[in-house]
Amino acid sequence: MIKIHTGQAGAQLSREEFGQRYRARFIDPAFGAEESAIARLEEIAWHAYDEGRKAPFTQKAGAGYADPDYDLSVEWQATKDRLDAAQTHWGEAATPSRVLLICGSARNDGTCPGEMSKSFRLLQIAKKELEQANIQPDVLDLSLLTSEYGKNIFPCKGCASTAMPLCHWPCSCYPNHALNQTNDWMAEIYERWVAAHAVIIVTPVYWYQSPSPLKLMIDRLVCADGGNPDPTSTSGKKAAKAKELEMAGWNYPQHLAGRAYGLIVHGDVAGVDDSRRALSDWLDWMAFIDAGTQARLGRYIGYYEPYANSHEALDADMDMQQESRNVATAVAKAVIELRAGRLQAVQADVKRPRPK
């Protein structure tokens, strides 16, 4: 048996430490009148933490799972059911063509910046072009993480690096009620990726890389590329069982394969090309189909100009606006070819000698 390496995690919080962290959210004096109610809720939350009640709602997995008697999270099963239904709907000829438009910027005018992002404006240009091509756009604005109460994308915990079968599809790390890791937006986002025939990511460059909301989503999509659709086969998060499964031979199912993609990456000084290539490499790895060179756009807006007038720079950059339309046009064309069965025909059907 492969050794499980442990010893990194910190010690469990003491009752006093837990109480301090729990009450930190109620520091506003307006909560003072409810001190006794908060104390009662804190006690309940402490017991959930102390007992590790990650999934308080469970049911027997039932037929179709490796262990029908396993107590499976009801919340996870509900997400899985929606993904299965979306995949079925996605493959039906009568289903309208759909493109997931993702705004990767963390900025919007509903919070501290006080102004919308240029990414959102470029997304709107692409959206209009898709609508004119009779394709349904589904706008996923990741900046809502910064401006909407209680909306979260929690970080990937790296289960795949212990063993790929430990990374479940969809992710079963969240919600974790014991750790107050709830309201995980990814449960909805997975479904929207499955339902899409193509995706277009519109994003700025932050310090040579993708903005943190976009990167959070990307990391949490690792389960779409090789993830295990049966948590009962690993008895939940049993590392040893997952390692045994992987060593016996894992097929790395690509749950989102066969969708098309386009990219609009913009910056002001540096990093655009590296970021665009990294996003292309990621989507290529997941067996998405690029919609051609016109669909992979990287440009600077207001190169080395002040941030203050960057929106005016975009107003004046008619070529950038047209190139964004071209991305949407190329993706729309790819979706038509994809759904007609002509785009897959040029893809070589080969088996990877080293799947991962």
Side-chain angles (χ1 to χ4, degrees), residues 24-349:
R25 77 189 73 181
F26 303 112
I27 195 171
D28 189 326
F31 288 108
E34 299 298 333
E35 171 62 30
S36 60
I38 292 170
R40 291 194 299 273
L41 291 173
E42 178 192 330
E43 188 66 18
I44 294 170
W46 161 253
H47 286 296
Y49 169 75
D50 189 45
E51 297 165 13
R53 293 204 301 267
K54 174 185 176 181
F57 306 103
T58 62
Q59 63 184 20
K60 297 299 181 184
Y65 287 98
D67 183 0
D69 291 326
Y70 181 80
D71 292 324
L72 194 60
S73 166
V74 169
E75 292 169 287
W76 181 88
Q77 183 64 67
T79 302
K80 178 65 161 56
D81 289 345
R82 291 196 299 272
L83 265 59
D84 289 345
Q87 181 64 45
T88 298
H89 193 56
W90 174 86
E92 294 172 347
T95 300
S97 295
R98 189 180 199 183
V99 172
L100 182 62
L101 279 166
I102 300 170
C103 180
S105 175
R107 178 165 69 127
N108 70 42
D109 53 305
T111 186
C112 311
E115 185 175 44
M116 71 164 57
S117 67
K118 293 183 290 295
S119 295
F120 189 76
R121 290 184 58 192
L122 294 169
L123 182 147
Q124 294 299 317
I125 290 172
K127 176 175 178 282
K128 184 175 181 180
E129 201 69 19
L130 291 171
E131 289 172 336
Q132 291 176 349
N134 294 317
I135 290 180
Q136 291 184 355
D138 177 18
V139 174
L140 174 58
D141 184 358
L142 294 176
S143 75
L144 296 181
L145 284 175
T146 69
S147 64
E148 190 169 309
Y149 180 85
K151 189 176 285 294
N152 301 300
I153 294 179
F154 292 101
C156 175
K157 296 181 178 180
C159 296
S161 292
T162 290
M164 194 69 234
L166 198 63
C167 181
H168 301 144
W169 169 253
C171 176
S172 66
C173 294
Y174 307 101
N176 186 323
H177 293 270
L179 297 179
N180 193 34
Q181 295 170 340
T182 59
N183 297 324
D184 179 34
W185 197 10
M186 286 304 298
E188 173 192 331
I189 290 174
Y190 289 133
E191 183 180 2
R192 293 168 73 172
W193 275 79
V194 172
H197 297 95
V199 298
I200 297 176
I201 298 175
V202 187
T203 183
V205 176
Y206 286 7
W207 282 120
Y208 295 88
Q209 300 176 57
S210 294
S212 50
L214 178 58
K215 188 58 167 64
L216 282 167
M217 181 191 69
I218 288 171
D219 287 352
R220 291 289 304 284
L221 279 161
V222 64
C223 57
D225 192 71
N228 181 1
D230 185 356
T232 76
S233 65
T234 55
S235 298
K237 291 293 185 176
K238 301 297 184 185
K241 293 192 71 170
K243 286 178 182 288
E244 289 176 6
L245 279 175
E246 187 173 49
M247 295 307 294
W250 190 250
N251 63 351
Y252 294 92
Q254 295 183 300
H255 300 287
L256 294 175
R259 289 154 176 83
Y261 77 86
L263 298 168
I264 301 174
V265 182
H266 65 93
D268 60 346
V269 173
V272 163
D273 289 335
D274 287 343
S275 181
R276 176 183 53 78
R277 281 193 291 266
L279 289 169
S280 289
D281 287 349
W282 167 58
L283 290 161
D284 289 342
W285 186 279
M286 292 209 302
F288 275 64
I289 304 169
D290 86 68
T293 56
Q294 293 295 315
R296 301 190 305 273
L297 177 64
R299 291 289 184 270
Y300 293 103
I301 300 172
Y303 187 64
Y304 267 103
E305 295 181 20
Y307 293 112
N309 64 350
S310 63
H311 274 283
E312 283 69 23
L314 176 56
D315 288 338
D317 197 339
M318 304 305 293
D319 290 339
M320 177 67 182
Q321 295 178 41
Q322 183 56 49
E323 287 173 321
S324 297
R325 294 186 188 95
N326 291 347
V327 170
T329 299
V331 170
K333 174 65 173 174
V335 168
I336 293 171
E337 297 298 306
L338 178 70
R339 301 202 70 195
R342 294 187 291 266
L343 191 57
Q344 299 100 320
V346 302
Q347 304 296 315
D349 185 15

